[in-house]
Amino acid sequence: MILRCTAVSTCALLAAMPAMAEVVELEQINVSQQSSETFLGESVSLNTGAVAKTGDAIAETPRSVTVVTAQEIAARGALNVEQALQYSAGIVGGQWGLDNRSDWYLARGFKASTLHDGLPARYGAYNDTKPEPFLLNTIEVLKGPASGLYGSGSVGGVVNTTSKTAAQDSDNLIQLQAGSHNRKQVAADVSGDLNSSGTLRYRFVGVLRDSETQVDHSQDDVLALAPSVTWRPNEDTELTVLANYQENDGSPLIQFASIYGTLLPATGFGNGDFLPNSVFVGEPGFDKFDSEQRAITAMFKHRFNPVWSINANARYLEGEAVYQHAWWAFDNTGTGRYNPDGTINRTFYRAENRLKTWAIDAYATSEYALGGFDMRTFAGVSYTRGHYDSDAGYGAQVGPIDPFNPSYAGFNPITVTDTPGTSITEAGAYVQHRAAYDDRLFIDVGLRYGDIETGSSNGSFGTTTNAAKDSEWTGNAAVMYRFDNGFAPYVSYAESFRQDAIGTDVNGNPFDPTRGEQIEIGAKYQPLGTDTLLTAAVFDLTKSNLTVADPGNPGFQVQSGEASAKGLELEAFHRFGAITVDAAYTYLDTEDAEGDYIAQVPKNAASLWLNYAPEEGALQGWVFGAGVRYNGEAWDGRNTQLTPSYALYDAAVSYGQDNWLVSLNVRNLSDERYVSTCQSGACYFGDGRNVALTLTSKF
């Protein structure tokens, strides 16, 4: 707790009185208020950030929004984006377990769309780097359909990572970290003025890491650099230019191991019972996922007058990856994917993947009053072009090997086949409007028209063969009323579309995009003058136009399938003196197009993080944190294999004084051996215990 001391010492001369007017001296008034500011910034975010394009308070937004701050990422020891989201309601993070090729997360049962700084960040697969947590300012989640803002996208929602840039106030700091699996990392965040007037500022954020991983013969090395410059000639104009360079020398980690030896004992199949969660069935010197990314981003905003302002973001990005992987072959299914002698066969694969994207999003905002309402209208356009290409090949079988006692057998060169890439072009125009009455009643409506074209390409952004061309209207509407005590119930409706299926039915008719619809009813409560935030939401989410087998024409498909998710989400952040509580609970009832539960989605999930930070006494400067993450049992998408529930415990302790902080984070404190999911005869190990000791110094 910090004390904000307001000293009011005023001589009140009553001019209307005679000269003998009394001089009144008011006594000093001390106003105490809890602060959410910590060593690494805000401990909790109360506004929606950039994901809703408005920056409105979460308590005044009639949609479910979760924002994870840089402080929360660090305090909970998250090593990637999916781990940072594991304390959020409605999110399943890391459902594929140990997999270094990408960040994986489901939002309300469906794969979420990925944005970075408000622009599309992913096309294709395994052709780019994963965001480094130290380079991020926030991770923002808008749950449910969001095509009214972002065009073609997932029905589950949007995850937007935002960069640390020179536009934000920040301290200079350097950070040293050592941890499990020989992890060694150094990071820096340095900023300052480039001219005497302070209108031009720079910021440099960088990470260098050398690390092995939980999986044998694997690594996770990175060099990431993010310099930026912000020009702010006056309070109404701001231009930020951000450059990114990142190089990862890593390993895939995912093993596609048999269910026998992971979830079930391998007795009768393999030469042991249970495999360690460090098992590596690949080939040393062969398995790799080496990726590189280069990007330049411009972010501009300007206010013309009290009514009109404009925002625009643009980015050009290039990425590539060399992906080599020897995994547990999907053969011998009758004997648990083992050979009769307990050995296994392996599939050898190499891919050379490339990605290029160009994106721009610009919108103008008008704020005005009309008929007693405070109005805000913003209208914008967006344009995105993406190209991705994967040239791949399979190698000859080398082995077999015994996964319980591997004796690696080497590998042969693999010839990669050159194939055409894929290009995507999307353009859209949108308008969003808010009418607010007396700062109590909020009415939001929005509409967007989007056009998207996909086809094969010869390496450029343009398509040479048009595979699909679609256009869609999507809308959203919501109403919220906030009472004097901070309680605010709401109801909202939102739509989405996505070009999921490329092809035609038996009559040659091209498939339409899938459609998403959501009705959400909820309430938010934030008492005046506090950072307490309690939210609750129930929702009914449907994805339609899914392709299913054509019963009258074998080998063809029709678009009659539908998937749904109905659920409840609860989130709470509250302070009890020096103790803060951050809790989340999710109930999800899902159904896919075949009538089965959606794969990997538990019906029940919950998390709790407790933080104790005494501000006085012998423990002043210490912070103690503890958390639990619970994932309920989940089906495999066919209602044949159930993955058991698991609970994981995390802990953190730190001590700081003045300009330095020492932190110890432990994830999966009890080193629980667990399986994150099982599907189609394969199972995937989750993260074991991970310990990190971090020294951060400001200068």
Side-chain angles (χ1 to χ4, degrees), residues 70-109:
Q71 165 63 26
E72 290 175 302
I73 295 172
R76 296 169 190 174
L79 303 179
N80 49 50
V81 171
E82 63 185 38
Q83 290 183 1
L85 292 173
Q86 288 172 346
Y87 279 91
S88 304
I91 306 296
V92 178
Q95 70 269 26
W96 292 108
L98 295 163
D99 189 352
N100 207 26
R101 302 170 301 172
S102 184
D103 287 312
W104 302 105
Y105 32 75
L106 301 174
R108 293 187 168 174

mmCIF file of all heavy atoms in Angstrom, residues 70-109:
data_model
loop_
_atom_site.group_PDB
_atom_site.id
_atom_site.type_symbol
_atom_site.label_atom_id
_atom_site.label_comp_id
_atom_site.label_asym_id
_atom_site.label_seq_id
_atom_site.Cartn_x
_atom_site.Cartn_y
_atom_site.Cartn_z
ATOM 1 N N ALA A 70 2.606 -7.814 -18.185
ATOM 2 C CA ALA A 70 4.001 -8.273 -18.128
ATOM 3 C C ALA A 70 4.368 -8.709 -16.721
ATOM 4 O O ALA A 70 5.130 -9.670 -16.522
ATOM 5 C CB ALA A 70 4.936 -7.170 -18.617
ATOM 6 N N GLN A 71 3.838 -8.005 -15.699
ATOM 7 C CA GLN A 71 4.106 -8.385 -14.321
ATOM 8 C C GLN A 71 3.531 -9.762 -14.010
ATOM 9 O O GLN A 71 4.180 -10.589 -13.350
ATOM 10 C CB GLN A 71 3.517 -7.336 -13.370
ATOM 11 C CG GLN A 71 3.412 -7.769 -11.923
ATOM 12 C CD GLN A 71 4.752 -8.063 -11.273
ATOM 13 O OE1 GLN A 71 5.771 -7.509 -11.695
ATOM 14 N NE2 GLN A 71 4.760 -8.916 -10.267
ATOM 15 N N GLU A 72 2.315 -10.048 -14.472
ATOM 16 C CA GLU A 72 1.712 -11.357 -14.227
ATOM 17 C C GLU A 72 2.484 -12.463 -14.942
ATOM 18 O O GLU A 72 2.650 -13.566 -14.403
ATOM 19 C CB GLU A 72 0.253 -11.343 -14.685
ATOM 20 C CG GLU A 72 -0.645 -10.493 -13.809
ATOM 21 C CD GLU A 72 -2.053 -10.386 -14.347
ATOM 22 O OE1 GLU A 72 -2.207 -9.926 -15.502
ATOM 23 O OE2 GLU A 72 -3.002 -10.757 -13.636
ATOM 24 N N ILE A 73 2.956 -12.191 -16.140
ATOM 25 C CA ILE A 73 3.764 -13.174 -16.866
ATOM 26 C C ILE A 73 4.998 -13.544 -16.048
ATOM 27 O O ILE A 73 5.329 -14.723 -15.868
ATOM 28 C CB ILE A 73 4.175 -12.627 -18.246
ATOM 29 C CG1 ILE A 73 2.947 -12.423 -19.148
ATOM 30 C CG2 ILE A 73 5.167 -13.575 -18.927
ATOM 31 C CD1 ILE A 73 3.264 -11.708 -20.447
ATOM 32 N N ALA A 74 5.681 -12.516 -15.535
ATOM 33 C CA ALA A 74 6.906 -12.759 -14.777
ATOM 34 C C ALA A 74 6.614 -13.395 -13.426
ATOM 35 O O ALA A 74 7.310 -14.322 -13.002
ATOM 36 C CB ALA A 74 7.661 -11.440 -14.591
ATOM 37 N N ALA A 75 5.581 -12.901 -12.729
ATOM 38 C CA ALA A 75 5.300 -13.389 -11.379
ATOM 39 C C ALA A 75 4.945 -14.865 -11.372
ATOM 40 O O ALA A 75 5.230 -15.571 -10.396
ATOM 41 C CB ALA A 75 4.168 -12.574 -10.758
ATOM 42 N N ARG A 76 4.327 -15.355 -12.439
ATOM 43 C CA ARG A 76 3.907 -16.749 -12.484
ATOM 44 C C ARG A 76 4.902 -17.633 -13.225
ATOM 45 O O ARG A 76 4.638 -18.816 -13.451
ATOM 46 C CB ARG A 76 2.516 -16.839 -13.119
ATOM 47 C CG ARG A 76 1.490 -16.128 -12.255
ATOM 48 C CD ARG A 76 0.164 -15.954 -12.934
ATOM 49 N NE ARG A 76 -0.686 -15.071 -12.135
ATOM 50 C CZ ARG A 76 -1.880 -14.631 -12.521
ATOM 51 N NH1 ARG A 76 -2.360 -15.001 -13.695
ATOM 52 N NH2 ARG A 76 -2.586 -13.843 -11.747
ATOM 53 N N GLY A 77 6.026 -17.061 -13.628
ATOM 54 C CA GLY A 77 7.085 -17.853 -14.226
ATOM 55 C C GLY A 77 6.745 -18.419 -15.583
ATOM 56 O O GLY A 77 7.297 -19.455 -15.986
ATOM 57 N N ALA A 78 5.863 -17.757 -16.338
ATOM 58 C CA ALA A 78 5.470 -18.268 -17.653
ATOM 59 C C ALA A 78 6.634 -18.163 -18.634
ATOM 60 O O ALA A 78 7.255 -17.108 -18.773
ATOM 61 C CB ALA A 78 4.263 -17.503 -18.179
ATOM 62 N N LEU A 79 6.900 -19.255 -19.323
ATOM 63 C CA LEU A 79 8.007 -19.307 -20.279
ATOM 64 C C LEU A 79 7.551 -19.115 -21.714
ATOM 65 O O LEU A 79 8.374 -19.034 -22.624
ATOM 66 C CB LEU A 79 8.742 -20.642 -20.151
ATOM 67 C CG LEU A 79 9.293 -20.969 -18.756
ATOM 68 C CD1 LEU A 79 9.978 -22.332 -18.769
ATOM 69 C CD2 LEU A 79 10.246 -19.887 -18.278
ATOM 70 N N ASN A 80 6.241 -19.053 -21.941
ATOM 71 C CA ASN A 80 5.702 -18.825 -23.278
ATOM 72 C C ASN A 80 4.269 -18.318 -23.138
ATOM 73 O O ASN A 80 3.722 -18.226 -22.030
ATOM 74 C CB ASN A 80 5.769 -20.096 -24.136
ATOM 75 C CG ASN A 80 5.217 -21.313 -23.412
ATOM 76 O OD1 ASN A 80 4.124 -21.277 -22.854
ATOM 77 N ND2 ASN A 80 5.982 -22.403 -23.392
ATOM 78 N N VAL A 81 3.646 -18.000 -24.262
ATOM 79 C CA VAL A 81 2.306 -17.413 -24.242
ATOM 80 C C VAL A 81 1.280 -18.399 -23.698
ATOM 81 O O VAL A 81 0.396 -18.034 -22.916
ATOM 82 C CB VAL A 81 1.915 -16.927 -25.649
ATOM 83 C CG1 VAL A 81 0.444 -16.525 -25.700
ATOM 84 C CG2 VAL A 81 2.795 -15.751 -26.071
ATOM 85 N N GLU A 82 1.372 -19.664 -24.101
ATOM 86 C CA GLU A 82 0.359 -20.620 -23.656
ATOM 87 C C GLU A 82 0.397 -20.797 -22.140
ATOM 88 O O GLU A 82 -0.644 -20.951 -21.491
ATOM 89 C CB GLU A 82 0.510 -21.953 -24.373
ATOM 90 C CG GLU A 82 1.802 -22.680 -24.128
ATOM 91 C CD GLU A 82 1.929 -23.946 -24.974
ATOM 92 O OE1 GLU A 82 1.498 -23.943 -26.149
ATOM 93 O OE2 GLU A 82 2.477 -24.934 -24.454
ATOM 94 N N GLN A 83 1.583 -20.766 -21.534
ATOM 95 C CA GLN A 83 1.667 -20.842 -20.073
ATOM 96 C C GLN A 83 1.106 -19.591 -19.413
ATOM 97 O O GLN A 83 0.468 -19.662 -18.354
ATOM 98 C CB GLN A 83 3.118 -21.066 -19.639
ATOM 99 C CG GLN A 83 3.660 -22.440 -19.973
ATOM 100 C CD GLN A 83 5.083 -22.645 -19.463
ATOM 101 O OE1 GLN A 83 5.671 -21.766 -18.844
ATOM 102 N NE2 GLN A 83 5.637 -23.816 -19.730
ATOM 103 N N ALA A 84 1.305 -18.435 -20.035
ATOM 104 C CA ALA A 84 0.793 -17.190 -19.469
ATOM 105 C C ALA A 84 -0.728 -17.162 -19.439
ATOM 106 O O ALA A 84 -1.320 -16.446 -18.626
ATOM 107 C CB ALA A 84 1.320 -16.004 -20.275
ATOM 108 N N LEU A 85 -1.388 -17.931 -20.306
ATOM 109 C CA LEU A 85 -2.845 -17.934 -20.387
ATOM 110 C C LEU A 85 -3.493 -19.004 -19.505
ATOM 111 O O LEU A 85 -4.719 -19.093 -19.451
ATOM 112 C CB LEU A 85 -3.284 -18.158 -21.838
ATOM 113 C CG LEU A 85 -2.964 -17.011 -22.806
ATOM 114 C CD1 LEU A 85 -3.287 -17.430 -24.242
ATOM 115 C CD2 LEU A 85 -3.731 -15.750 -22.443
ATOM 116 N N GLN A 86 -2.701 -19.799 -18.813
ATOM 117 C CA GLN A 86 -3.247 -20.933 -18.081
ATOM 118 C C GLN A 86 -3.938 -20.556 -16.775
ATOM 119 O O GLN A 86 -4.508 -21.418 -16.113
ATOM 120 C CB GLN A 86 -2.140 -21.976 -17.832
ATOM 121 C CG GLN A 86 -1.745 -22.711 -19.095
ATOM 122 C CD GLN A 86 -0.528 -23.615 -18.923
ATOM 123 O OE1 GLN A 86 0.194 -23.514 -17.935
ATOM 124 N NE2 GLN A 86 -0.301 -24.494 -19.882
ATOM 125 N N TYR A 87 -3.908 -19.275 -16.413
ATOM 126 C CA TYR A 87 -4.667 -18.807 -15.257
ATOM 127 C C TYR A 87 -5.878 -17.974 -15.692
ATOM 128 O O TYR A 87 -6.405 -17.192 -14.907
ATOM 129 C CB TYR A 87 -3.775 -17.990 -14.326
ATOM 130 C CG TYR A 87 -2.912 -18.845 -13.416
ATOM 131 C CD1 TYR A 87 -1.637 -19.237 -13.810
ATOM 132 C CD2 TYR A 87 -3.378 -19.270 -12.183
ATOM 133 C CE1 TYR A 87 -0.845 -20.025 -12.980
ATOM 134 C CE2 TYR A 87 -2.596 -20.057 -11.345
ATOM 135 C CZ TYR A 87 -1.330 -20.431 -11.755
ATOM 136 O OH TYR A 87 -0.546 -21.221 -10.935
ATOM 137 N N SER A 88 -6.334 -18.151 -16.934
ATOM 138 C CA SER A 88 -7.448 -17.382 -17.474
ATOM 139 C C SER A 88 -8.655 -18.280 -17.687
ATOM 140 O O SER A 88 -8.518 -19.424 -18.135
ATOM 141 C CB SER A 88 -7.054 -16.735 -18.812
ATOM 142 O OG SER A 88 -5.901 -15.926 -18.668
ATOM 143 N N ALA A 89 -9.841 -17.762 -17.400
ATOM 144 C CA ALA A 89 -11.069 -18.527 -17.618
ATOM 145 C C ALA A 89 -11.326 -18.689 -19.115
ATOM 146 O O ALA A 89 -11.055 -17.788 -19.914
ATOM 147 C CB ALA A 89 -12.252 -17.820 -16.967
ATOM 148 N N GLY A 90 -11.831 -19.850 -19.497
ATOM 149 C CA GLY A 90 -12.210 -20.101 -20.882
ATOM 150 C C GLY A 90 -11.082 -20.491 -21.801
ATOM 151 O O GLY A 90 -11.315 -20.739 -22.986
ATOM 152 N N ILE A 91 -9.847 -20.559 -21.290
ATOM 153 C CA ILE A 91 -8.683 -20.853 -22.132
ATOM 154 C C ILE A 91 -8.070 -22.186 -21.733
ATOM 155 O O ILE A 91 -7.834 -22.439 -20.546
ATOM 156 C CB ILE A 91 -7.612 -19.752 -22.008
ATOM 157 C CG1 ILE A 91 -8.210 -18.373 -22.291
ATOM 158 C CG2 ILE A 91 -6.444 -20.036 -22.947
ATOM 159 C CD1 ILE A 91 -8.715 -18.195 -23.697
ATOM 160 N N VAL A 92 -7.818 -23.039 -22.708
ATOM 161 C CA VAL A 92 -7.008 -24.237 -22.513
ATOM 162 C C VAL A 92 -5.665 -23.954 -23.171
ATOM 163 O O VAL A 92 -5.573 -23.845 -24.392
ATOM 164 C CB VAL A 92 -7.663 -25.487 -23.127
ATOM 165 C CG1 VAL A 92 -6.753 -26.706 -22.943
ATOM 166 C CG2 VAL A 92 -9.028 -25.740 -22.507
ATOM 167 N N GLY A 93 -4.631 -23.787 -22.367
ATOM 168 C CA GLY A 93 -3.311 -23.461 -22.893
ATOM 169 C C GLY A 93 -2.385 -24.657 -22.834
ATOM 170 O O GLY A 93 -2.297 -25.334 -21.815
ATOM 171 N N GLY A 94 -1.677 -24.924 -23.949
ATOM 172 C CA GLY A 94 -0.719 -26.025 -23.980
ATOM 173 C C GLY A 94 -1.363 -27.378 -24.079
ATOM 174 O O GLY A 94 -0.898 -28.347 -23.477
ATOM 175 N N GLN A 95 -2.441 -27.476 -24.878
ATOM 176 C CA GLN A 95 -3.181 -28.738 -24.933
ATOM 177 C C GLN A 95 -2.390 -29.866 -25.582
ATOM 178 O O GLN A 95 -2.705 -31.038 -25.354
ATOM 179 C CB GLN A 95 -4.521 -28.543 -25.667
ATOM 180 C CG GLN A 95 -4.428 -28.294 -27.160
ATOM 181 C CD GLN A 95 -4.347 -26.818 -27.511
ATOM 182 O OE1 GLN A 95 -3.890 -26.023 -26.709
ATOM 183 N NE2 GLN A 95 -4.792 -26.455 -28.699
ATOM 184 N N TRP A 96 -1.355 -29.536 -26.363
ATOM 185 C CA TRP A 96 -0.521 -30.587 -26.969
ATOM 186 C C TRP A 96 0.705 -30.896 -26.116
ATOM 187 O O TRP A 96 1.606 -31.603 -26.556
ATOM 188 C CB TRP A 96 -0.082 -30.187 -28.373
ATOM 189 C CG TRP A 96 -1.218 -30.131 -29.353
ATOM 190 C CD1 TRP A 96 -1.788 -29.020 -29.901
ATOM 191 C CD2 TRP A 96 -1.940 -31.245 -29.891
ATOM 192 N NE1 TRP A 96 -2.809 -29.373 -30.734
ATOM 193 C CE2 TRP A 96 -2.923 -30.731 -30.754
ATOM 194 C CE3 TRP A 96 -1.851 -32.624 -29.710
ATOM 195 C CZ2 TRP A 96 -3.812 -31.557 -31.449
ATOM 196 C CZ3 TRP A 96 -2.732 -33.445 -30.402
ATOM 197 C CH2 TRP A 96 -3.697 -32.913 -31.266
ATOM 198 N N GLY A 97 0.745 -30.365 -24.908
ATOM 199 C CA GLY A 97 1.856 -30.679 -24.023
ATOM 200 C C GLY A 97 3.163 -30.087 -24.518
ATOM 201 O O GLY A 97 3.232 -28.930 -24.941
ATOM 202 N N LEU A 98 4.224 -30.874 -24.460
ATOM 203 C CA LEU A 98 5.553 -30.420 -24.861
ATOM 204 C C LEU A 98 5.618 -30.281 -26.379
ATOM 205 O O LEU A 98 5.693 -31.267 -27.107
ATOM 206 C CB LEU A 98 6.613 -31.411 -24.376
ATOM 207 C CG LEU A 98 6.755 -31.523 -22.857
ATOM 208 C CD1 LEU A 98 7.499 -32.798 -22.482
ATOM 209 C CD2 LEU A 98 7.467 -30.305 -22.307
ATOM 210 N N ASP A 99 5.570 -29.049 -26.862
ATOM 211 C CA ASP A 99 5.614 -28.796 -28.300
ATOM 212 C C ASP A 99 6.184 -27.401 -28.510
ATOM 213 O O ASP A 99 5.540 -26.400 -28.190
ATOM 214 C CB ASP A 99 4.220 -28.899 -28.917
ATOM 215 C CG ASP A 99 4.263 -28.865 -30.440
ATOM 216 O OD1 ASP A 99 5.339 -28.604 -31.000
ATOM 217 O OD2 ASP A 99 3.211 -29.091 -31.059
ATOM 218 N N ASN A 100 7.408 -27.344 -29.022
ATOM 219 C CA ASN A 100 8.113 -26.078 -29.176
ATOM 220 C C ASN A 100 7.906 -25.452 -30.539
ATOM 221 O O ASN A 100 8.507 -24.427 -30.848
ATOM 222 C CB ASN A 100 9.617 -26.294 -28.936
ATOM 223 C CG ASN A 100 10.305 -25.036 -28.439
ATOM 224 O OD1 ASN A 100 9.696 -24.173 -27.828
ATOM 225 N ND2 ASN A 100 11.597 -24.928 -28.713
ATOM 226 N N ARG A 101 7.044 -26.041 -31.368
ATOM 227 C CA ARG A 101 6.868 -25.529 -32.720
ATOM 228 C C ARG A 101 5.930 -24.331 -32.774
ATOM 229 O O ARG A 101 5.964 -23.557 -33.726
ATOM 230 C CB ARG A 101 6.328 -26.647 -33.621
ATOM 231 C CG ARG A 101 7.212 -27.884 -33.672
ATOM 232 C CD ARG A 101 6.509 -29.031 -34.376
ATOM 233 N NE ARG A 101 5.252 -29.379 -33.701
ATOM 234 C CZ ARG A 101 4.363 -30.236 -34.194
ATOM 235 N NH1 ARG A 101 4.587 -30.816 -35.364
ATOM 236 N NH2 ARG A 101 3.259 -30.500 -33.512
ATOM 237 N N SER A 102 5.073 -24.194 -31.764
ATOM 238 C CA SER A 102 4.108 -23.099 -31.755
ATOM 239 C C SER A 102 3.505 -22.988 -30.368
ATOM 240 O O SER A 102 3.646 -23.899 -29.540
ATOM 241 C CB SER A 102 3.007 -23.358 -32.799
ATOM 242 O OG SER A 102 2.110 -22.279 -32.887
ATOM 243 N N ASP A 103 2.832 -21.871 -30.108
ATOM 244 C CA ASP A 103 1.991 -21.753 -28.916
ATOM 245 C C ASP A 103 0.606 -22.278 -29.266
ATOM 246 O O ASP A 103 0.043 -21.957 -30.319
ATOM 247 C CB ASP A 103 1.877 -20.291 -28.472
ATOM 248 C CG ASP A 103 3.160 -19.780 -27.845
ATOM 249 O OD1 ASP A 103 3.710 -20.483 -26.980
ATOM 250 O OD2 ASP A 103 3.599 -18.674 -28.216
ATOM 251 N N TRP A 104 0.043 -23.089 -28.345
ATOM 252 C CA TRP A 104 -1.264 -23.687 -28.596
ATOM 253 C C TRP A 104 -2.229 -23.270 -27.494
ATOM 254 O O TRP A 104 -1.904 -23.340 -26.312
ATOM 255 C CB TRP A 104 -1.166 -25.223 -28.624
ATOM 256 C CG TRP A 104 -0.213 -25.751 -29.641
ATOM 257 C CD1 TRP A 104 1.034 -26.263 -29.415
ATOM 258 C CD2 TRP A 104 -0.414 -25.820 -31.059
ATOM 259 N NE1 TRP A 104 1.615 -26.656 -30.598
ATOM 260 C CE2 TRP A 104 0.748 -26.389 -31.623
ATOM 261 C CE3 TRP A 104 -1.466 -25.458 -31.902
ATOM 262 C CZ2 TRP A 104 0.886 -26.607 -32.995
ATOM 263 C CZ3 TRP A 104 -1.328 -25.671 -33.262
ATOM 264 C CH2 TRP A 104 -0.165 -26.240 -33.796
ATOM 265 N N TYR A 105 -3.434 -22.862 -27.889
ATOM 266 C CA TYR A 105 -4.469 -22.534 -26.910
ATOM 267 C C TYR A 105 -5.835 -22.600 -27.582
ATOM 268 O O TYR A 105 -5.991 -22.327 -28.774
ATOM 269 C CB TYR A 105 -4.255 -21.139 -26.308
ATOM 270 C CG TYR A 105 -3.617 -20.131 -27.235
ATOM 271 C CD1 TYR A 105 -4.349 -19.533 -28.271
ATOM 272 C CD2 TYR A 105 -2.274 -19.779 -27.095
ATOM 273 C CE1 TYR A 105 -3.752 -18.623 -29.123
ATOM 274 C CE2 TYR A 105 -1.676 -18.873 -27.946
ATOM 275 C CZ TYR A 105 -2.418 -18.293 -28.957
ATOM 276 O OH TYR A 105 -1.832 -17.389 -29.809
ATOM 277 N N LEU A 106 -6.818 -23.014 -26.810
ATOM 278 C CA LEU A 106 -8.205 -23.045 -27.235
ATOM 279 C C LEU A 106 -8.971 -22.002 -26.437
ATOM 280 O O LEU A 106 -8.754 -21.852 -25.231
ATOM 281 C CB LEU A 106 -8.828 -24.424 -27.003
ATOM 282 C CG LEU A 106 -8.174 -25.613 -27.709
ATOM 283 C CD1 LEU A 106 -8.822 -26.912 -27.253
ATOM 284 C CD2 LEU A 106 -8.268 -25.465 -29.225
ATOM 285 N N ALA A 107 -9.868 -21.290 -27.099
ATOM 286 C CA ALA A 107 -10.728 -20.316 -26.440
ATOM 287 C C ALA A 107 -12.169 -20.788 -26.580
ATOM 288 O O ALA A 107 -12.664 -20.942 -27.695
ATOM 289 C CB ALA A 107 -10.556 -18.931 -27.059
ATOM 290 N N ARG A 108 -12.793 -21.048 -25.457
ATOM 291 C CA ARG A 108 -14.176 -21.538 -25.433
ATOM 292 C C ARG A 108 -14.357 -22.768 -26.324
ATOM 293 O O ARG A 108 -15.368 -22.937 -27.004
ATOM 294 C CB ARG A 108 -15.151 -20.416 -25.814
ATOM 295 C CG ARG A 108 -15.185 -19.314 -24.772
ATOM 296 C CD ARG A 108 -16.230 -18.255 -24.998
ATOM 297 N NE ARG A 108 -16.334 -17.421 -23.785
ATOM 298 C CZ ARG A 108 -17.081 -16.334 -23.678
ATOM 299 N NH1 ARG A 108 -17.801 -15.931 -24.707
ATOM 300 N NH2 ARG A 108 -17.118 -15.656 -22.541
ATOM 301 N N GLY A 109 -13.339 -23.618 -26.332
ATOM 302 C CA GLY A 109 -13.422 -24.892 -27.021
ATOM 303 C C GLY A 109 -12.913 -24.892 -28.439
ATOM 304 O O GLY A 109 -12.832 -25.961 -29.070
#
